[in-house]
Amino acid sequence: MKETELKPGRAIIESALRAGATSLDEQAGKRLLAAYGIPVPQGETVTDVEAAVRVASTLGYPVVMKGSTSAVQHKTDLGLVILRVMSETEVREAYQALVARSAAAGVELEGVLVERMVKGKREFMVGLGHDHLFGPVVLFGLGGIYAEALRDVALAVTPLSEKDADDLLDLIQAKALLGAFRGEPEVDRKALVAVILAVARMAQDHPEIGELDINPLVIENGAPVAVDALIAVDPPPPVSTRPPADLSRLDQLCAPCSVAVIGASSDTSKWGGMLIANLQLGGFSGAVYPVNPKGGTILGLPAYASVSELPEAPDLALIAVPAPAVAQAVEDCGRKGVK
């Protein structure tokens, strides 16, 4: 079995790419979310009013009706979302209204999505975007009409651990909404974390997803439900041929075994003295080499007149000399082999 066949919803992504689509229609998008265990409302896309009546009757009122078209990403802007449809008569009226509104906007209506209306007072959002330096980035924050107005969001770079996802919940200013609020129960944090982790996994499984926006993610009886989903797709980006970075080389910077302080001083009010004092007081167990043209002893350590006189090439050099002397100090370190 191919690796791609093991990834949930792979057929949905590939079907959209073959069709040349730049985004998934809402029902396809929600099928993808459901494949990753993200709760979505029951619903069906229909192409005639009688089918709309049948689906609404099966789901039970109230229902939501949305114009389905790949040409429009934000359907609310064109009035292609009608909430609280309460009866068969209203279903027929809503269907005709959606047809008329799409025609007035010059948009071809591909169908009408009829869904169970999710009831909840709190709306959040979970999103996915790409940063040119860090790659896939997951977003969590307030949703609905407050998403753009307040921009109360928190970001995390994928891949995410469960703790990473849980921490995101407490990074927004409106985190109080996660608790019991105005008669609504406390939000199921575990379920909300599962949604965030699922979106992060999608980024790893499907690099063709350029943007994903679950907004709103409505809290119904404490549990999150993805009411709307925007998923933009593109052909996969080219695979980089650049070799992976050797992160072990960072050890000399972050965990050096030996340190030279160039511009060392016995005066701890100066940088050259403060650096040595901090290393000593902080319990640094490696070798510390003060470098000062006068030599002698500095803070109990033998000092060396130049970098070239050091007994070894230290892992790290801390340079605390006047600006005009910095370039020469760096060159001296390079000649010595300071890592």
Side-chain angles (χ1 to χ4, degrees):
M1 182 177 291
K2 296 181 180 179
E3 181 183 357
T4 55
E5 294 174 349
L6 300 175
K7 297 173 181 177
R10 187 63 203 169
I12 299 172
I13 298 291
E14 292 182 348
S15 176
L17 293 173
R18 284 195 301 269
T22 57
S23 63
L24 303 184
D25 65 50
E26 188 170 345
Q27 189 165 22
K30 287 180 176 175
R31 289 205 312 272
L32 180 61
L33 299 185
Y36 279 83
I38 298 175
V40 297
Q42 292 177 293
E44 184 179 336
T45 298
V46 298
T47 55
D48 65 78
V49 69
E50 296 303 327
V53 169
R54 173 183 55 79
V55 172
S57 177
T58 300
L59 294 175
Y61 296 101
V63 296
V64 177
M65 296 177 65
K66 305 177 182 181
S68 180
T69 171
S70 57
V72 178
Q73 292 185 337
H74 301 286
K75 295 183 285 292
T76 304
D77 295 343
L78 297 181
L80 297 182
V81 178
I82 301 178
L83 306 175
R84 300 181 188 86
V85 180
M86 302 297 296
S87 66
E88 178 181 332
T89 298
E90 291 187 13
V91 168
R92 296 181 183 277
E93 292 174 350
Y95 193 98
Q96 296 305 322
L98 292 172
V99 171
R101 291 173 186 176
S102 63
V107 174
E108 181 180 357
L109 198 65
E110 299 163 4
V112 171
L113 176 62
V114 183
E115 282 187 335
R116 177 183 73 84
M117 184 166 175
V118 178
K119 302 172 185 177
K121 298 177 181 178
R122 290 168 290 181
E123 298 181 346
F124 295 96
M125 67 179 295
V126 175
L128 170 67
H130 287 265
D131 181 89
H132 71 286
L133 289 178
F134 298 106
V137 177
V138 171
L139 172 152
F140 170 73
L142 284 183
I145 62 173
Y146 300 108
E148 295 182 7
L150 299 180
R151 299 184 182 277
D152 185 6
V153 299
L155 305 172
V157 176
T158 63
L160 300 184
S161 67
E162 186 171 346
K163 182 180 185 304
D164 293 332
D166 189 72
D167 287 346
L168 273 182
L169 305 187
D170 294 322
L171 291 178
I172 64 171
Q173 296 183 43
K175 64 182 180 180
L177 291 176
L178 297 169
F181 188 81
R182 291 200 170 187
E184 296 284 313
E186 182 178 356
V187 174
D188 184 341
R189 288 181 69 103
K190 186 174 181 180
L192 195 50
V193 164
V195 172
I196 295 172
L197 290 176
V199 169
R201 184 183 168 196
M202 285 186 209
Q204 305 300 314
D205 288 352
H206 309 293
E208 301 89 349
I209 297 178
E211 178 186 356
L212 186 151
D213 186 9
I214 303 175
N215 183 23
L217 185 70
V218 176
I219 305 301
E220 183 179 53
N221 298 322
V225 181
V227 170
D228 202 356
L230 166 64
I231 302 177
V233 294
D234 292 298
V239 177
S240 173
T241 57
R242 182 177 180 179
D246 181 6
L247 297 181
S248 66
R249 297 182 63 186
L250 290 176
D251 289 347
Q252 285 81 34
L253 176 65
C254 301
C257 294
S258 54
V259 177
V261 179
I262 303 171
S265 172
S266 295
D267 185 350
T268 56
S269 68
K270 296 181 178 180
W271 279 106
M274 188 188 309
L275 291 169
I276 295 176
N278 286 344
L279 287 168
Q280 293 174 329
L281 294 173
F284 179 68
S285 59
V288 178
Y289 301 117
V291 177
N292 186 295
K294 297 179 181 179
T297 301
I298 295 178
L299 298 179
L301 299 171
Y304 299 85
S306 66
V307 174
S308 63
E309 295 182 13
L310 294 177
E312 65 170 326
D315 285 346
L316 178 68
L318 303 176
I319 299 177
V321 297
V326 169
Q328 184 61 54
V330 172
E331 184 173 338
D332 292 344
C333 289
R335 293 184 184 281
K336 183 66 175 180
V338 176
K339 300 179 182 61

